[in-house]
Amino acid sequence: AGATAAGVTLGVMVDLDVGFQRTGVRSVSDAIALASTIHTKPGLTLRGVMCFPGNVGSTADDPQWTKYIDQIGSFLNEWKKLGLPDPI
C-alpha cells in the first residue's frame, strides 16, 4: 500500500532456499505461491528468483549440484506454467 500511495513500483525477487537453510522460502511450492501473490499486488513487480547455494561444493562432481539444479529447474517450470513474467 505504501508503494502505491507514493506512486512507485517496487521490484521483488523470490528468495528460494536451495539447501543452505539460511534465507529464502523452503520449498518450490511455497516459492511459487509467494511469486503468485507478489504478481497480483499493486505497487509490486515480480522480477524473478534468487538463491544462495552456499552448501554446494566448488566442483561439478559434488552431488549437491544435481539437487540444486533440479530444484531451480522445478521452480522455473512451475513459474512458466503459471504464465508469470520472464524471471531474472
Side-chain angles (χ1 to χ4, degrees), residues 11-58:
V12 179
M13 304 270 299
V14 173
D15 185 3
L16 177 63
D17 175 30
V18 290
F20 202 46
Q21 300 178 347
R22 292 183 85 182
T23 66
V25 180
R26 299 285 167 110
S27 73
V28 168
S29 60
D30 287 346
I32 290 297
L34 178 59
S36 296
T37 299
I38 292 167
H39 186 61
T40 65
K41 298 294 181 186
L44 301 179
T45 298
L46 182 60
R47 298 295 309 231
V49 60
M50 61 181 265
C51 62
F52 177 64
N55 60 315
V56 177
S58 60

